Amino acid sequence: MSITAGGDVDNTNGLQRGDNRLDIISNILRLTILERCINAIDTMLNDKSSVDSISIEYITLDDIYEKFDPEHVVFAVYIKGIGEIMLTLLLVIEVENGKKLASILISNAIDDGVEADELTTSAIAEFGNILLAGAFTNALTHFTGFNINCTAPGYAKDSLASILEYIVADSDSTEFIYADCKLSFMINKDLVLHISVLIPTRDAKRLVDAM
C-alpha cells in the first residue's frame, strides 16, 4: 500500500500551500476504510479486499477538467455529509467493473442492454448507499469526533470531472481536497473500487486541526 499527497493547497481559510498535514487526511481515509468499510465490503462481496493506494489532489472549480479526464466515463454513487463539517463521500467505479460488481451482488451475469444498465445501476446504488451512508460515515464520525449527517444518495454515469462539477455547483467554496482510496480484491482480481472524499479546504483544515 502506498500513500501519496499530490498538489498544493493555497487558501487562507483552509490548508496552506505545502502543508504536510495533508497526510492526516490520507490517514483518516485509510483508518476509516480499514476499520469499518473493508469488513462491510468483504461481507457483501464475499471476497477479501485490500487498500492499494491513497492519493490526494487539490482541485478548484477552474481546474476540475484539467485534473480529471472529461472523456473518461465512470459510475459513481455519492452522498453529501452535512453537520459540523461539510464533505462528499463517493464510490467510483469503471463502467465495465460496474457490471462485474453488480453481477457479484446479485449472483448472476449481466449482459448489455437497457434493462442490464438499470439492473447494474440499482445494484451499485444500493451497495454504495449501504457502504457510504452506513459504514463509512459511522467510521468518520468515530475517528474524527465530528457529527456528520448524510443527505439522500445521488447516482451518475458520466465523467468524474462532470460528476464533481455537479456536486460542488451549490457549494460556497471554490477550493477542495479530493482524497481517493483504491481497493483491489483477492478473488475477483480484475475488480477495482475507489472510495473517495471531496472536502472544502476550510473543512479539511478544521478536520486536521481537531486530530
Side-chain angles (χ1 to χ4, degrees):
M1 179 183 70
S2 64
I3 299 178
T4 58
D8 294 327
V9 177
D10 188 9
N11 182 349
T12 55
N13 296 315
L15 292 181
Q16 298 299 303
R17 185 181 301 276
D19 196 325
N20 58 15
R21 291 178 301 170
L22 280 174
D23 286 339
I24 296 177
I25 302 293
S26 293
N27 288 330
I28 291 172
L29 185 59
R30 176 178 59 84
L31 289 171
T32 54
I33 290 174
L34 289 177
E35 180 70 15
R36 300 284 179 88
C37 294
I38 277 185
N39 288 338
I41 292 170
D42 292 352
T43 298
M44 285 187 282
L45 301 184
N46 193 28
D47 206 331
K48 181 67 176 177
S49 56
S50 61
V51 177
D52 278 358
S53 63
I54 296 178
S55 61
I56 286 188
E57 289 282 355
Y58 165 68
I59 62 175
T60 71
L61 292 177
D62 295 329
D63 64 12
I64 287 178
Y65 285 89
E66 295 177 10
K67 296 283 188 179
F68 305 99
D69 183 359
E71 302 299 324
H72 184 69
V73 176
V74 298
F75 188 90
V77 181
Y78 55 90
I79 292 177
K80 291 187 178 183
I82 57 177
E84 295 177 338
I85 58 173
M86 306 290 288
L87 49 78
T88 301
L89 310 175
L90 300 98
L91 170 69
V92 181
I93 185 169
E94 300 287 344
V95 173
E96 286 305 314
N97 270 332
K99 294 178 181 178
K100 182 172 184 59
L101 175 60
S103 295
I104 296 170
L105 291 169
I106 66 174
S107 301
N108 194 15
I110 295 179
D111 298 319
D112 294 328
V114 175
E115 184 176 345
D117 286 343
E118 293 175 351
L119 190 60
T120 298
T121 299
S122 176
I124 298 177
E126 182 177 0
F127 173 77
N129 190 29
I130 292 172
L131 180 64
L132 299 177
F136 199 179
T137 301
N138 290 337
L140 273 175
T141 297
H142 173 74
F143 280 111
T144 67
F146 286 106
N147 181 39
I148 303 171
N149 299 311
C150 293
T151 62
Y155 325 106
K157 181 180 177 182
D158 205 337
S159 70
L160 184 56
S162 295
I163 294 169
L164 293 179
E165 182 183 48
Y166 175 79
I167 290 172
V168 304
D170 61 351
S171 174
D172 60 358
S173 299
T174 60
E175 298 171 308
F176 302 85
I177 302 297
Y178 182 76
D180 175 73
C181 176
K182 178 182 177 182
L183 296 179
S184 61
F185 295 85
M186 181 178 294
I187 297 174
N188 297 284
K189 297 184 182 299
D190 55 345
L191 179 63
V192 174
L193 301 181
H194 291 264
I195 299 176
S196 307
V197 177
L198 179 70
I199 181 169
T201 52
R202 64 170 181 268
D203 287 294
K205 183 178 184 300
R206 292 185 61 213
L207 189 58
V208 300
D209 284 347
M211 301 305 293

